[in-house]
Amino acid sequence: MGMAVGGNGGGGSGRRRRGGRNRAVISEINVTPLVDVMLVLLIIFMVAAPMMTVGVPIDLPETQAKALNSETQSITISVKNDGEVFLQETPIPAAEIAAKLEAIATTGYNERIFVRGDATAPYGVIADVMARIQGAGFKNIGLVTQQKKDQ
C-alpha cells in the first residue's frame, strides 16, 4: 500500500501543461449569426423592392405593347387626369420639368425618362410635358401604358 505524495504521478490535480503555457484565447468571429442576419435582410429587400414603385395613382391606357426590360432605375413623370404633373412622386409645375430633370439625371442626357399619362388626362398637357423634356435635350423618352388583358 504505497502512495506517492507531491510527485508527478497519478492524480490530475497537480498536472501542468507542456511548456507551462495556458491555452490561448480564441479571437475568431463566429460568422454563422452574421450570415443568418444577412440572409434575412436579403429576403426582406427582395420582397419589398417590387413594392417600391412610383406611387402616383393614375389610370394608364391599355395597349398591346410588350413590357420593357429595365436594368436601371429610370425617372418617371406622371400626368394625372386633372393635368397635375409629378416628378417621381413630387408635384411639380410643368415649367420646372427641364431644370429638375437636368439636376437629377445621373447619366446625363442619355437618362431614360418614362412619361405616365392618365387615360383621361388632357392630350395637350402630356404633349407639353414631352416637348419640355425633349427641349431640355433628353432623347430617351418613353410612354408607359398597361398591357391589354386577353378577353
Side-chain angles (χ1 to χ4, degrees), residues 3-77:
M3 187 163 118
V5 178
N8 233 359
S13 62
R15 285 192 183 186
R16 298 185 84 184
R17 295 196 174 101
R18 279 193 181 154
R21 287 183 260 149
N22 291 334
R23 180 167 270 174
V25 176
I26 299 174
S27 60
E28 296 176 4
I29 297 174
N30 189 356
V31 182
T32 306
L34 176 67
V35 171
D36 290 344
V37 169
M38 296 307 284
L39 287 174
V40 169
L41 288 174
L42 176 68
I43 291 170
I44 289 171
F45 285 119
M46 286 174 54
V47 170
M51 294 181 214
M52 300 169 81
T53 58
V54 177
V56 179
I58 57 176
D59 183 27
L60 293 173
E62 294 182 356
T63 63
Q64 293 180 351
K66 302 289 182 209
L68 291 174
N69 292 334
S70 178
E71 296 100 23
T72 60
Q73 180 69 24
S74 58
I75 299 173
T76 304
I77 297 179

Side-chain angles (χ1 to χ4, degrees), residues 56-62 76-86 114-127 129 143-146:
V56 179
I58 57 176
D59 183 27
L60 293 173
E62 294 182 356
T76 304
I77 297 179
S78 303
V79 180
K80 290 181 73 172
N81 61 352
D82 60 355
E84 189 175 10
V85 180
F86 289 82
F114 288 128
V115 178
R116 300 172 68 228
D118 194 285
T120 58
Y123 179 73
V125 174
I126 296 173
V129 166
L143 286 172
V144 179
T145 59
Q146 264 185 335

